[in-house]
Amino acid sequence: MTSEPRTTRQQREWWLVSLCLMVLTSAACWWHWTWHLDQAVYDAAQSTWLRAPAKDIVIVAIDDASLQAIGRWPWKRAVHAQALKQIQQAGPKSVMIDLLLSEADTDPQQDSVLAQAMRESGKVVLPVSHALDGTGHGHELRPLPQFQEGTTLAHADAALDVDGTVRWAYLWAGSQANRYPHPALAMLQVAGEWPPDIPRQAGQHMPSTSAYWHRDQAMAIPFLGAPGRIAHVSYAAVLRGEVAPETFRQRHVLIGVTAHGLGETFQTPVSQLGEGMAGVEVIAQLLDALRQGQRIKVLPAAASATLSALLVLALLWFFRHAAPRQALIASASLAAGAVLASWGLMAWGIWWPPFGLVLGALLSYPVWSWRRLEATAHDLELELQAMASEPDVRSALPPANERTGADFMQRRTDAISLAGAQLRQARQLLAHTLATLPDAVFVVDARHIVTQANQQACAMTGFSHPSALTGRRLSEVLSPLTPTEAPTWDMLLDKARQGHQALSTEAVHPRGKQYLVAMVAADDAMPDSGAIVCATDVTALQEAELQRAELLGFIAHDIRSPQASLISLVELHRIGGHMSQEETLKHVEAMARHTLELCEELLQVMRAETRAISPAQGDLIKLAQDCLNDMQLQARTKDITLSGNWPPGREQPLSFDEYLVHRAVINLLSNAIKFSPKGGQVSVAVTQHHDWHVIAVRDQGPGIPESELGRLFKRYERVEQGRPSKLAAGIGLGLVFIDTVARRHGGQVKVINKPGEGACFELWLPATSGQA
């Protein structure tokens, strides 16, 4: 199975999983599936981010001390009238009496006294409640008519969540006939401090709690904190005149019950250890929020669902490129981050329910892992089927009917492990095979990155180890080489991979080496396969080709010329030339001998270059003496004296090829005799300098021109001693032979030249020349 269909399937699975989790997350946000968990974060944030209360709000608490001082509840309404008069004398902004005055007192005079005090104040707010009978019909619980004169009515509807906690307040509520503001809003209306961001009348459509009572404009209450944050004074202290008038001057005063077990208390987000908050305290805290412009902006369900779904999508996108541990950390981090972000946003009055996103984030990891596990199992099965078709791997895999066990994935993992072991062995075999090849070999992938190389490739490119080559682009590795068949190596590789045929090109290294580089696609059946590149050092072959060309030139010129002269002499003799037969034969003999000498020199050089070295232990002084003896006859013809400079009986042992060294010394002596003047002297010395053995041949000839020293050991060139200008026609191979013998033994030839006085040629052989 190719990678393209597999990739397409993985993308399709990713989109399917992403869509399902996004829909699930959006649904959880839209329908508030995690409402209880969200409210836990909401309550914790409300208890954390506290603020200072407004200074113009005070509660006159009907507390336990007041009950103990005044007596049993309910009190006479004249008591409330007296407290109201004392508060009114201080000039408050508004007064809220959080008492349900819907029933008449047993003493009508008591109601009249309280009603008169309310009318005189003109700033009193009274609550209106509602009740349902057994048949579901409702009615308003309004204050007595005499209390309604000169007062402002407000609804006393406490909005309880399903868990019995007060988190919200409705700014408007009432029956179809009457709409009442919340007591806090009514107090601001009485004081002329209506909030500019709140409409002055309710809308036409109101959420129904029953067929009779309706609510409108829900507002989250930004609580100040636990009960007691608003300034309190005791009701009894007010009656006794113990509260200074400044306490109520230009302030909003709320009169309500806070005594335990007497008034209604509510559970709130800021309640601690189950302690309830009195209704008058709840009204006071909402009044504080309206006074200070504090609002809790609730993120709409649509915006919350969209944001959460997008974050889950981003998380799943990260899963595609992350390791399992990273994916788990990301999932947990997003869930925890959502909770912390929701809690932190409450500091700016923004509420975002986080647990819809938390649900999506926590479900993303197991769902995605399950899908990836299914896909992995499917891919493993396909790979096992593909591997089973390979003969080297088939023997390592157990038959399908024998791969039984308790764990599905373990069976496939074991099979993959066996196949992997076989593939590793094959890779090691490939590495060993590459190491034994004499040429530099590179294996590259589809991106032209080197994946394998042998040690010969390191020697060619200058790297220390094949591991240093892996991971690099082939164009970088072969940057010193310039191909002749294309401008760049990348173009050649693409051509070889796409054409599925072997390509070769010549390349020249700056160090002078020449390579023949061949490349072929690694797998013809796969268009995205890599390639195998083989580089062969053909420097020696190029040099051999050059030598062959030089040899042909030598044969065509220096050997052909004497033969042409011979033919000319014969033809001249036939037509009756002026030379005698004896003179003609003499010239023919000289030219034939010259041709034989050239052939002999060429044969010696070829033998020196191709003949295997056969070192044996010998004595250099004895070898030099033998060479002197062999050349005595030639030296006498020119009246030249040959001498050896070494003490009698001395030996200088060394392991060397006696034939080659003997012939080299003979050539040196022959040249010395040839260029020495008649009656001159040629000397031979055998010495040792540290780890080198030196055979020196000195003549008394004219020496070698300085301009010709660089041509001494070049092939097919002859330097005529004492001829500083035009060289004689022809070539000389004697010195080339000597240089070849020296190099084959690991040594060298040195020349000590003194123009006009002679030349000294030294053959330097190392003490370990036998192992060269």
Side-chain angles (χ1 to χ4, degrees):
M1 186 174 184
T2 62
S3 59
E4 183 177 356
R6 180 179 302 174
T7 303
T8 304
R9 189 184 72 249
Q10 291 176 352
Q11 292 178 348
R12 184 172 62 251
E13 291 178 352
W14 181 83
W15 280 112
L16 179 62
V17 171
S18 300
L19 182 62
C20 293
L21 287 172
M22 289 172 66
V23 170
L24 177 65
T25 303
S26 300
C29 295
W30 186 268
W31 284 292
H32 306 290
W33 292 350
T34 58
W35 183 87
H36 288 280
L37 296 173
D38 291 329
Q39 297 312 311
V41 178
Y42 180 90
D43 295 348
Q46 282 272 50
S47 301
T48 303
W49 308 114
L50 305 178
R51 68 181 191 278
K55 296 181 179 180
D56 60 349
I57 301 176
V58 63
I59 296 176
V60 178
I62 303 174
D63 52 9
D64 294 330
S66 299
L67 291 176
Q68 187 175 4
I70 300 174
R72 292 183 57 188
W73 186 266
W75 298 332
K76 295 294 183 179
R77 288 179 178 171
V79 175
H80 300 305
Q82 180 183 353
L84 180 59
K85 288 179 180 180
Q86 290 182 340
I87 294 172
Q88 183 59 35
Q89 289 175 0
K93 293 181 179 180
S94 64
V95 179
M96 167 67 189
I97 301 178
D98 190 22
L99 299 175
L100 193 60
L101 303 176
S102 59
E103 296 181 359
D105 195 281
T106 56
D107 183 1
Q109 187 64 29
Q110 296 285 330
D111 292 338
S112 299
V113 172
L114 180 57
Q116 181 62 29
M118 292 181 182
R119 287 193 295 272
E120 291 176 356
S121 172
K123 299 180 179 181
V124 176
V125 177
L126 294 178
V128 176
S129 185
H130 70 286
L132 296 176
D133 56 23
T135 61
H137 296 85
H139 59 278
E140 294 181 359
L141 296 177
R142 297 166 61 91
L144 295 174
Q146 56 186 329
F147 293 143
Q148 298 179 29
E149 298 178 8
T151 61
T152 300
L153 300 182
H155 72 80
D157 187 4
L160 298 178
D161 281 334
V162 294
D163 59 351
T165 302
V166 174
R167 298 183 180 90
W168 303 79
Y170 291 94
L171 298 183
W172 296 92
S175 63
Q176 294 289 349
N178 300 298
R179 297 288 190 272
Y180 303 102
H182 190 275
L185 195 58
M187 294 180 71
L188 294 176
Q189 180 181 1
V190 170
E193 298 177 349
W194 188 275
D197 58 334
I198 295 178
R200 285 188 172 270
Q201 58 182 1
Q204 296 301 318
H205 176 73
M206 303 175 66
S208 298
T209 57
S210 68
Y212 174 72
W213 192 259
H214 302 275
R215 298 167 170 174
D216 192 19
Q217 293 190 27
M219 175 182 171
I221 304 175
F223 285 93
L224 288 168
R229 297 275 292 171
I230 302 292
H232 283 60
V233 294
S234 176
Y235 196 99
V238 174
L239 291 177
R240 290 193 296 265
E242 297 175 356
V243 180
E246 289 77 10
T247 305
F248 307 116
R249 184 172 293 117
Q250 292 300 309
R251 297 191 178 184
H252 298 279
V253 181
L254 295 93
I255 302 174
V257 178
T258 62
H260 292 86
L262 182 59
E264 188 175 13
T265 59
F266 301 97
Q267 193 72 19
T268 65
V270 294
S271 298
Q272 299 177 354
L273 301 177
E275 178 186 6
M277 181 180 290
V280 66
E281 179 90 16
V282 175
I283 296 172
Q285 296 219 14
L286 179 59
L287 175 61
D288 176 90
L290 294 174
R291 280 281 295 110
Q292 299 193 57
Q294 298 293 329
R295 304 289 188 273
I296 296 179
K297 301 176 182 64
V298 180
L299 195 67
S304 177
T306 302
L307 175 62
S308 300
L310 291 177
L311 289 174
V312 168
L313 179 64
L315 178 65
L316 291 168
W317 181 268
F318 176 77
F319 284 175
R320 298 182 63 180
H321 312 284
R325 179 179 300 178
Q326 295 173 333
L328 178 61
I329 294 174
S331 178
S333 299
L334 180 59
V339 175
L340 293 176
S342 176
W343 175 79
L345 286 173
M346 282 292 287
W348 288 276
I350 300 174
W351 169 237
W352 168 44
F355 270 92
L357 174 58
V358 172
L359 176 64
L362 295 181
L363 285 178
S364 295
Y365 181 75
V367 171
W368 175 253
S369 298
W370 164 69
R371 285 306 308 155
R372 293 307 304 141
L373 186 62
E374 285 284 337
T376 302
H378 178 72
D379 292 341
L380 286 178
E381 194 65 29
L382 293 179
E383 290 298 331
L384 286 175
Q385 294 175 5
M387 290 179 181
S389 62
E390 298 293 334
D392 293 337
V393 180
R394 186 189 303 121
S395 60
L397 295 178
N401 55 3
E402 294 182 7
R403 286 181 294 188
T404 59
D407 186 78
F408 174 83
M409 291 300 298
Q410 186 62 42
R411 297 198 305 270
R412 281 152 178 77
T413 303
D414 292 342
I416 288 292
S417 299
L418 291 174
Q422 289 289 320
L423 292 178
R424 286 192 296 273
Q425 292 178 3
R427 185 179 179 88
Q428 292 176 359
L429 178 60
L430 174 61
H432 293 159
T433 303
L434 293 179
T436 58
L437 293 177
D439 299 326
V441 180
F442 307 87
V443 180
V444 298
D445 60 14
R447 297 176 300 152
H448 303 174
I449 303 297
V450 178
T451 59
Q452 276 188 293
N454 59 2
Q455 193 61 42
Q456 289 75 10
C458 295
M460 171 186 172
T461 56
F463 287 87
S464 59
H465 193 270
S467 60
L469 285 171
T470 56
R472 299 176 181 268
R473 291 186 64 85
L474 184 68
S475 58
E476 175 190 355
V477 173
L478 298 182
S479 58
L481 298 175
T482 303
T484 59
E485 300 297 329
T488 63
W489 291 107
D490 290 334
M491 294 177 63
L492 273 177
L493 278 173
D494 291 336
K495 186 177 180 181
R497 289 175 49 246
Q498 295 170 5
H500 300 292
Q501 59 182 356
L503 294 179
S504 60
T505 180
E506 294 182 356
V508 179
H509 196 277
R511 293 196 299 264
K513 286 185 173 294
Q514 299 182 7
Y515 293 91
L516 181 64
V517 182
M519 52 188 66
V520 65
D523 190 348
D524 293 342
M526 297 182 63
D528 292 335
S529 65
I532 300 175
V533 180
C534 179
T536 305
D537 187 351
V538 295
T539 305
L541 293 177
Q542 294 288 349
E543 292 179 352
E545 180 66 20
L546 180 60
Q547 293 177 11
R548 185 182 69 85
E550 292 174 346
L551 177 60
L552 290 176
F554 162 73
I555 294 174
H557 184 269
D558 283 48
I559 295 182
R560 184 173 176 273
S561 295
Q563 303 305 313
S565 299
L566 286 174
I567 295 175
S568 299
L569 286 173
V570 172
E571 291 178 351
L572 182 63
H573 182 72
R574 285 177 178 173
I575 63 176
H578 62 278
M579 285 191 301
S580 63
Q581 183 176 0
E582 182 66 24
E583 188 177 2
T584 300
L585 292 175
K586 182 178 179 181
H587 283 291
V588 170
E589 181 183 9
M591 292 178 186
R593 290 184 182 276
H594 179 61
T595 302
L596 288 174
E597 289 178 358
L598 291 176
C599 293
E600 181 64 22
E601 288 182 354
L602 177 62
L603 184 60
Q604 289 180 13
V605 171
M606 294 177 64
R607 286 177 177 176
E609 290 177 343
T610 59
R611 182 178 179 274
I613 295 292
S614 301
Q617 195 68 24
D619 182 8
L620 287 180
I621 293 180
K622 180 179 183 303
L623 180 140
Q625 184 63 55
D626 292 342
C627 292
L628 287 174
N629 296 335
D630 293 344
M631 297 301 294
Q632 285 293 339
L633 181 60
Q634 183 177 344
R636 289 175 184 171
T637 60
K638 291 189 64 176
D639 196 18
I640 293 176
T641 303
L642 301 180
S643 63
N645 298 330
W646 50 78
R650 180 187 170 188
E651 295 182 354
Q652 192 161 329
L654 180 67
S655 178
F656 57 92
D657 189 309
E658 184 175 358
Y659 170 79
L660 292 179
V661 176
H662 183 276
R663 189 64 193 176
V665 176
I666 289 295
N667 282 5
L668 288 175
L669 287 172
S670 177
N671 286 338
I673 294 172
K674 180 178 180 181
F675 293 105
S676 292
K678 189 175 182 179
Q681 183 177 359
V682 175
S683 63
V684 179
V686 180
T687 58
Q688 183 173 358
H689 297 280
H690 303 292
D691 293 334
W692 294 89
H693 297 268
V694 182
I695 302 175
V697 178
R698 183 181 300 276
D699 61 48
Q700 294 179 344
I704 302 172
E706 294 291 339
S707 60
E708 306 297 336
L709 288 175
R711 301 171 53 194
L712 285 177
F713 302 103
K714 290 186 178 179
R715 286 178 178 273
Y716 313 122
E717 292 192 17
R718 181 175 64 200
V719 177
E720 296 288 352
Q721 296 189 23
R723 297 175 63 94
S725 56
K726 296 181 180 180
L727 298 178
I731 63 173
L733 296 176
L735 293 179
V736 175
F737 174 82
I738 298 166
D739 180 66
T740 303
V741 171
R743 286 188 291 103
R744 293 292 301 275
H745 283 79
Q748 59 182 326
V749 179
K750 294 183 180 182
V751 181
I752 302 175
N753 180 48
K754 293 182 180 181
E757 299 182 9
C760 179
F761 286 82
E762 296 179 347
L763 177 61
W764 289 62
L765 301 176
T768 57
S769 62
Q771 287 79 35

